Amino acid sequence: MNVLFLGKIQYALYRLVLAETPEAYLLQTHTLPSDLNFMPTLGNGHLGYTVFGDAIFMNGVYNGAGGNSKRARIPNWLNISAVVCDRFGCATDDDELSTTNDTLYEMDLRDGYFRYRKDYKKLGITLEQRSYPHKYFNRALVYEVVASRHATTARSNAPQFLKLSQHPGIASDAFEFVVLNNGSNAKGDYRVIRGRTQVLEFERFQPQPHEIYILFSQSLEEPLQIEWPTWQMEITHRIIICIDREQSVALKDLQDALELNFQDLHQKHIKRWHDFWDNDFSIRIAGNSLELWQIANAGIFYLASSLPSLTTNQKNEPFDGLSPTGLGRGNLEADYQGHSFWDTEIWMLPVVTQFGYDYAKEVLEYRSRKLEAAKYNAYAKGYKGARYPWESAYTGTEVTNPCCPEVAQQEIHISADISFALQKFFAQSADFDWTCDKAWPIAAEVAEFLVSRAACEELKQVCHFLNVMGPDEDHANVDDNVYTNAMAKIALEFAVWAGGMCGNASTELFEKWQQVSNRLLILRDVDLDYHPQHEGYKLNTEVKQADTILLGYPLRFDKSSTHLNDLKYYANATRESGPAMTWSMFAANYLRTSEDWRADEYFERGYKSYVRPEFKVWSETPIGYEGSANFLTGIGGFLQALIFGYGGLDFYRSGNQTTMENSGVLMPPNVEEVEINYIRYGDSKCRWIYKSHSSFMDCGYRKSGKKFEMLQGNKRTLLATNFNVTHRKGDPPIYINLMN
């Protein structure tokens, strides 16, 4: 049997494997979105792009000073198209004799790539093109084309070559590019371009421009012709583009990738994505809810695509932040210029932590590395400690758009939000060493900032935050925003605990922090039994988004009748065009009250008007309003409502003890069962299934020496290191404590 025939068999089997992607992971359409912003955005934590877009972006590479800093656009040289040609010319899309009118576009979430297929009827040919950022060779972007002849194709009429053309878009205004090597197939070298950004973000923390190297396996400066012998049934070709700050790193990924044959390179990428879905995180939704399951899978994929790959050919660069629209966007104001906000810690991180602690640590490490810049931000404004900027990019200094200076000046809650996220991570991971090494230094500096920013009245023994803005950005320059004050109290108390636990003996410092925490004013209208959003707020005044209602979930600050009234009042006051995660938070919060039946309406509202149907890409605002695309913040809120809202799950700290709470489950509309693989707790990895009448959690513990204790009602049970727990509808909540 000859080698060519064996190769055909191998490739046919390989194609068969690809075709087995479950429907819940396969997004197919014959019609592209009317707005190509809602094409899939793909990434691997190092590089990202939007399919058919004009930009590639690289982790941590920005251009522009201060508020003009934005992700530095690399022309999208991966935007390649192929056509089939013979000696008379090339087939075109408007040639009705040559092509069908229903090209199939497909986003394969499980395998992690985008492809589109087109049939040339007259020529008897199928052309498939696909692209993806490689998940193992993560400096590499891959374009692949497969052209196949149908069995009935007449050889005399067969096309003789493919023509590949590049469509990178206009020149970049962010980089100065220099061609170092044009490449020569005869010599076996590669086209190499060096790019340097043109404007520093802030010289104190970025003394030099960013420098990157872009290597091409083949040059496409001119259209590339690939010979296709008439006797050959199938032809394949690939273009690989590698990008890194170091030319040697980009070159190694390129050379190592090229050592693999066509299908092995693709399969290595697929294996990494399968490892994620099978071993890191996945959700299965059963019932009359395929679309909901697809939306959940797409959300997980788009969120995970912006995170670093944990298994790579070469060591990752430091991760430089998780932006609201991901790594594959950031050149535009609508993409928030690729900056990091509170969205990272409050909306996305609780879901990212379920992917695995290493993913969460990558996200939080970004804040740790920017601590010195945060201290500079505080000092520059006359305060102590660390003030994290409202918008952060490469340097960690303030890069809020010049349009909106009041937002940067007044949304001080972001520093407390970061401290809150550190505490939530500890509550789930029970990682004491990490807490002392990474969390405590941040928590201490944030506490110092909050104390220096507070305005305290000694006679009344009360403290305020004046001239602030809460999450509701429609109301600037207010006093005592209740979310800001509540979050600050939590951050101050966490700093006191972390300092003591980590062996700091500064009693005077802890007393100062605790005193301000105790005195911070939390507004409450006694007559109406609700929390006014800020001093002077009038009931039914329109607000932009979830703000005060967050006191219930995720803050766990208020579970009383006051919180239930907050939900009722602010549901009627929140504007229709509010961002997607707002309605998910109404759902998650109602599910924790005696009026849990109200949650379904808000849960469906939180995704049905925000998810574009073709590739399940999220928008920041409902259809009909202008807003950001690939809105990871909305995805984070939606998945939190599904896991922690309907699932009734939460993690919290009480002293040195961490607790996982299961308060009972409810089911989203048209859903019969939800299975989550996996939920993390301590060193456990838990398979969790919940239905309308019960939930079942099966946990395996990785280390010895620590035990779990379960409390339910008055019953206390010591659990084995590997344990399972069933919670039935109507039973009291279950609390599982990790004993230290």
Side-chain angles (χ1 to χ4, degrees), residues 79-101:
N79 201 359
I80 300 168
S81 64
V83 293
V84 293
C85 307
D86 62 16
R87 64 182 183 275
F88 300 110
C90 299
T92 61
D93 287 351
D94 57 3
D95 181 354
E96 295 182 2
L97 295 176
S98 296
T99 66
T100 63
N101 294 322

Side-chain angles (χ1 to χ4, degrees), residues 616-635:
K616 313 305 181 198
V617 174
W618 284 70
S619 173
E620 178 183 13
T621 54
I623 295 171
Y625 295 90
E626 292 185 3
S628 304
N630 195 46
F631 192 51
L632 302 184
T633 309
I635 291 169

Side-chain angles (χ1 to χ4, degrees), residues 122-179:
K122 181 180 177 182
L123 299 174
I125 286 172
T126 296
L127 186 67
E128 177 181 311
Q129 301 175 76
R130 56 194 183 219
S131 72
Y132 53 94
H134 207 283
K135 199 163 174 63
Y136 178 74
F137 299 107
N138 69 334
R139 273 69 173 185
L141 302 171
V142 182
Y143 165 85
E144 296 169 339
V145 59
V146 181
S148 307
R149 290 195 170 101
H150 303 169
T152 57
T153 302
R155 297 295 175 266
S156 60
N157 296 327
Q160 297 171 337
F161 62 90
L162 299 182
K163 184 169 78 171
L164 272 59
S165 302
Q166 221 167 28
H167 313 281
I170 61 173
S172 171
D173 63 357
F175 288 98
E176 178 183 341
F177 286 116
V178 176
V179 177

Side-chain angles (χ1 to χ4, degrees), residues 307-329:
L307 298 171
S309 299
L310 299 183
T311 303
T312 56
N313 189 43
Q314 299 179 86
K315 183 180 178 181
N316 286 327
E317 284 204 331
F319 182 61
D320 271 330
L322 189 56
S323 174
T325 61
L327 176 58
R329 306 182 68 89

